[in-house]
Amino acid sequence: MSLDPATVRRIARLARIHVEDAEAAQLAGELNGILAWIEQLNEVDVEGIDPLTGAAQMAMRLRPDVVTDGGIPELVLGNAPDRAGAFYSVPKVVE
Amino acid sequence: MLNDLSLVEARDGLRRRDFTAIELTDAHLAAVAALNPRLNAFITVSAKAARAQAAEADARLAAGEDRPLLGLPLAIKDLFCTEGVRTTAGSRILEPFVPAYESTVTANLLRDGAVFLGKANLDEFAMGSSNMTSAFGPVQNPWTRADGAALVPGGSSGGSCAAVAARMALGATATDTGGSIRQPASFCGIVGMKPTYGRCSRWGIVAFASSLDQAGPVARTVEDCAVLLGSMARFDPKDSTSADRPVPDFAAACRRGVQGLRIGVPREYRNDNMPAEIEALWQQGLAWLRDAGAEIVDVSLPHTKYGLATYYIVAPAEASSNLARYDGVRFGRRVDGNDLLEMYERTRAEGFGAEVRRRIMIGTYVLSAGYYDAYYLRAQKVRALILRDFTDAYAQVDALLTPTTPSAAFAQGEKMDDPVAMYLNDIFTVPANMAGVPGLSVPAGLNGQGLPLGLQVLGRPFDEETVFAVGAVLERAAAFHHLPAIRAGVPA
């Protein structure tokens, strides 16, 4: 599989990363280099193998469904790039 | 001088009142002031807070209090959130970020009395093997070679390892997702321990690839690493993959020896491209262990060669998800746009460096509709085979010995043109992350250019004790007392 610049722009959009048209061709080359190298996994026989999702060889713990934290809006908002009162502020979404 | 003491020697000196914690911290702050302009090992130096912590340690020592790390100055990789101290992950996007909380690992170190000198430089979001991807500039390796080129310290924990090697800190925290503790420890001639996945809490560590990330210590001796890990590790309910099991006395394990242990030599780690001096050092390491009473056994890890390619699907996939949180809304840098989508896209385009953008895009692609099964699901199945290799090997042996890296430190700027060439640095370290097993790098010798080379000990899950025992025997046998040219007390 080989990525063309249009596909690179589609991936960039999915990843929410702005890519200039001029960058897309170069990125396509870099990503294709990595993907071509990854293709070697196709030679591994994985028939009947269950996927391994993590390195922790343990069952997930359950915890009581209760509030354990909160009531600290100033700390939560302390790093906000922009805020209005007790809210994060973003560019207008609805006209 | 105080900077030349190991962490354990400094601890014992403080207990004997040979010197004060303030003197010890000042000696290290002086080294930071003298060397950091050249090495760039620290992004943030917190001198004032460090001296306050040292003064408190002196008061506690005077009161007869004893804690495992009381008054010992450490560097903290700038991936661990530290309350009130800027935490950047080496990225422009987190340049303004000051956490309101302390990571579990650093909280454990503070509980045990440690002094924090500052935040150590790293590859951006821990993605790299050279420290060249930091938004705060590259770190220089304190070791030098004859041609005078500035060398990389390895990565991603390059600042942590350079700081410890140059004697700016007694030890440091680090993290390892594909080799980021062991590879830079090897490049800088120090000891680095990646414990079993789940041994140290990930809570409060900036996430890269959550199924692989694991914190661990770097220091100048195996026992120092054992002492540090003993403080860093603890069950933490705030991390759902934290292991609820007791923390053994790792330092005691360093004195066990290897009599009667079976040490495996994975034949797939040998390849035609391996430099003869690394092959020779590996054989030397096996001889040292044999002389100390271990039995050397040939084993096979047949899927070793697929470890890296698997990693470069799994890690970017997890990273693309983890790094979705950097959207310019709740924390970090924002770049304005005409609408919300444009703000997201410009914030992330300008906030992330080239390697991080590349990995997010690879991860986005391998998780996207139509490609998930071909890439991500297949990689997870190969990962299961890699784990099975280790499980099979550990049915025959107690630990494995391999080289840590396929080369010694290279020059800044080398291997930068081809991402895959840079990725190959981690060929020997990545499989341990895929399987979650512990791994230790011990400096074992110098190459022909006078640069350090490490040997790697891999162990069974949650059997760090055997890994430390083997590492300590290698350390004694290697008697690696070489020093980097750039270090505390040496005029520039």
Side-chain angles (χ1 to χ4, degrees):
Chain A
M1 273 166 278
S2 189
L3 305 183
D4 56 25
T7 311
V8 168
R9 280 193 297 273
R10 187 178 65 81
I11 299 166
R13 172 49 67 100
L14 287 172
R16 299 287 184 264
I17 295 175
H18 176 79
V19 170
E20 298 288 345
D21 287 346
E23 275 177 277
Q26 191 201 333
L27 260 173
E30 291 169 0
L31 299 182
N32 281 326
I34 297 169
L35 290 170
W37 173 69
I38 283 171
E39 297 285 326
Q40 60 177 291
L41 294 187
N42 290 334
E43 65 193 55
V44 185
D45 179 7
V46 294
E47 189 64 36
I49 303 295
D50 286 331
L52 181 67
T53 53
Q57 307 297 306
M58 60 177 88
M60 277 288 180
R61 274 188 309 279
L62 297 176
R63 64 170 175 80
D65 183 15
V66 294
V67 176
T68 58
D69 204 353
I72 47 168
E74 281 310 309
L75 288 181
V76 171
L77 287 158
N79 278 290
D82 192 17
R83 61 181 282 192
F87 300 95
Y88 295 110
S89 172
V90 296
K92 199 158 136 185
V93 181
V94 182
E95 289 302 324
Chain B
M1 59 188 282
L2 294 178
N3 303 65
D4 288 323
L5 298 174
S6 72
L7 179 125
V8 165
E9 288 167 350
R11 180 196 66 192
D12 295 346
L14 284 173
R15 283 177 180 169
R16 285 192 307 266
R17 315 311 309 276
D18 292 349
F19 44 86
T20 66
I22 279 283
E23 287 166 347
L24 186 64
T25 288
D26 279 347
H28 286 90
L29 287 172
V32 173
L35 298 174
N36 204 50
R38 180 160 180 199
L39 298 181
N40 200 28
F42 287 85
I43 292 174
T44 303
V45 179
S46 44
K48 198 172 155 199
R51 298 195 84 240
Q53 288 168 333
E56 189 188 324
D58 277 329
R60 291 182 186 279
L61 284 160
E65 227 184 275
D66 195 14
R67 301 185 191 199
L69 301 174
L70 192 53
L72 301 176
L74 307 177
I76 303 301
K77 186 178 185 179
D78 206 13
L79 202 63
F80 292 80
C81 286
T82 41
E83 187 180 349
V85 178
R86 186 172 74 135
T87 300
T88 69
S91 181
R92 278 162 58 86
I93 211 161
L94 278 177
E95 196 172 1
F97 179 60
V98 179
Y101 49 84
E102 190 76 31
S103 82
T104 297
V105 163
T106 49
N108 291 345
L109 293 171
L110 291 172
R111 170 205 63 199
D112 283 352
V115 171
F116 291 171
L117 298 166
K119 307 300 290 289
N121 206 343
L122 69 160
D123 279 296
E124 184 178 7
F125 284 104
M127 297 181 193
S129 307
S130 65
N131 232 288
M132 296 297 288
T133 73
S134 170
F136 299 86
V139 175
Q140 186 182 337
N141 193 322
W143 293 78
T144 54
R145 66 184 189 201
D147 69 5
L151 304 180
V152 303
S156 65
S157 309
S160 297
C161 291
V164 171
R167 288 147 168 74
M168 300 153 88
L170 290 171
T173 65
T175 61
D176 191 314
T177 303
S180 283
I181 288 175
R182 294 158 286 158
Q183 184 255 16
S186 178
F187 277 17
C188 291
I190 64 169
V191 184
M193 174 61 159
K194 181 202 92 74
T196 310
Y197 183 85
R199 182 62 93 179
C200 291
S201 170
R202 289 181 295 107
W203 195 82
I205 300 172
V206 176
F208 161 16
S210 300
S211 80
L212 303 162
D213 297 343
Q214 182 57 210
V218 296
R220 292 192 295 270
T221 74
V222 174
E223 189 185 9
D224 286 358
C225 277
V227 168
L228 285 169
L229 182 60
S231 283
M232 293 167 71
R234 190 180 54 165
F235 170 59
D236 179 11
K238 288 187 290 197
D239 171 1
S240 62
T241 58
S242 170
D244 187 3
R245 45 167 76 218
V247 178
D249 185 345
F250 297 125
C254 295
R255 297 184 282 275
R256 277 184 187 178
V258 295
Q259 186 68 47
L261 288 186
R262 291 166 64 86
I263 305 294
V265 189
R267 68 179 71 105
E268 291 80 7
Y269 276 61
R270 183 165 289 126
N271 66 54
D272 297 339
N273 302 326
M274 186 183 285
E277 55 197 5
I278 291 181
E279 170 71 32
L281 187 71
W282 191 10
Q283 293 308 318
Q284 177 64 71
L286 293 167
W288 286 329
L289 295 177
R290 198 181 292 115
D291 291 347
E295 182 188 348
I296 307 302
V297 182
D298 222 18
V299 297
S300 174
L301 299 173
H303 296 89
T304 296
K305 68 179 276 207
Y306 301 110
L308 262 187
T310 308
Y311 177 85
Y312 277 97
I313 293 175
V314 171
E318 295 185 17
S320 72
S321 171
N322 270 325
L323 272 62
R325 75 190 69 183
Y326 304 103
D327 56 8
V329 175
R330 288 154 299 161
F331 40 73
R333 176 187 294 265
R334 170 186 292 190
V335 178
D336 287 324
N338 290 321
D339 56 24
L340 189 62
L341 190 59
E342 193 180 306
M343 185 202 82
Y344 290 153
E345 292 190 343
R346 296 212 174 268
T347 292
R348 292 164 62 80
E350 293 186 28
F352 294 135
E355 178 63 21
V356 172
R357 290 200 303 269
R358 225 169 6 236
R359 294 203 198 184
I360 290 174
M361 290 183 63
I362 288 280
T364 303
Y365 179 64
V366 300
L367 291 177
S368 64
Y371 300 99
Y372 181 93
D373 286 3
Y375 286 113
Y376 188 60
L377 193 64
R378 171 168 284 269
Q380 286 185 313
K381 290 177 178 177
V382 179
R383 186 174 180 183
L385 293 170
I386 293 169
L387 173 62
R388 193 166 76 185
D389 286 354
F390 278 100
T391 306
D392 291 349
Y394 289 138
Q396 306 166 56
V397 297
D398 300 294
L400 303 164
L401 187 75
T402 79
T404 307
T405 57
S407 77
F410 47 90
Q412 291 179 351
E414 280 175 24
K415 304 183 197 262
M416 295 296 284
D417 300 334
D418 175 8
V420 174
M422 185 66 86
Y423 298 170
L424 290 172
N425 265 289
D426 294 330
I427 189 160
F428 297 148
T429 48
V430 149
N433 300 81
M434 303 310 295
V437 301
L440 176 83
S441 180
V442 186
L446 298 180
N447 76 353
Q449 295 175 305
L451 299 176
L453 294 169
L455 288 174
Q456 174 178 241
V457 183
L458 300 174
R460 294 190 178 103
F462 297 107
D463 186 17
E464 287 88 355
E465 290 165 279
T466 296
V467 174
F468 279 124
V470 175
V473 165
L474 291 171
E475 180 181 52
R476 267 196 299 280
F480 184 92
H481 299 307
H482 309 282
L483 296 170
I486 305 171
R487 63 180 194 274
V490 177

